[in-house]
Amino acid sequence: MAADRTRLRRDILIASTLVAAGVAIAVLSLHAINAPQELAQATQPLQTTPTPEPQRTTAPAESKPGGERPTTPAPQPARPDDEAQKAGAKPMLPPAPAEKTAPPIEKK
């Protein structure tokens, strides 16, 4: 019987120590959450940088009802036709690599 009492006291001591540690951790966590937080402020720039003025371009052409929307200037093709290539125009895009070229789509 005496052994049971000492074992019970030891278990109660361990349990109360664990509960006290849990309460202490909870109190410290709540204190850290409620602590006032300081905000950092950036310093002002020494000189103000002027904002660039928008470049003036020609106004786009007026759109006509029922037609395609015109663009000013006309877009350049990525791959010029054969005559333009003979005249010296270079394609804007390099040729597609061989592994990315697909076979033609077969019609059903």
Side-chain angles (χ1 to χ4, degrees):
M1 263 233 197
D4 289 339
R5 281 192 170 183
T6 56
R7 187 172 187 197
L8 180 64
R9 282 187 181 175
R10 186 177 47 130
D11 289 346
I12 290 176
L13 180 65
I14 291 172
S16 61
T17 304
L18 290 175
V19 168
V23 169
I25 290 173
V27 167
L28 290 174
S29 298
L30 289 174
H31 180 68
I33 290 173
N34 290 332
Q37 297 181 1
E38 297 179 17
L39 297 176
Q41 293 183 351
T43 59
Q44 295 293 329
L46 298 177
Q47 295 178 348
T48 58
T49 56
T51 57
E53 293 183 16
Q55 296 178 355
R56 307 228 184 256
T57 58
T58 58
E62 303 236 354
S63 63
K64 297 175 185 171
E68 294 182 15
R69 182 178 176 193
T71 58
T72 306
Q76 298 295 324
R79 300 203 182 277
D81 56 355
D82 292 335
E83 294 174 10
Q85 283 186 356
K86 288 178 187 175
K90 295 183 179 179
M92 293 212 139
L93 299 174
E99 66 270 4
K100 293 190 177 183
T101 304
I105 300 173
E106 297 177 7
K107 292 185 179 181
K108 294 183 179 181

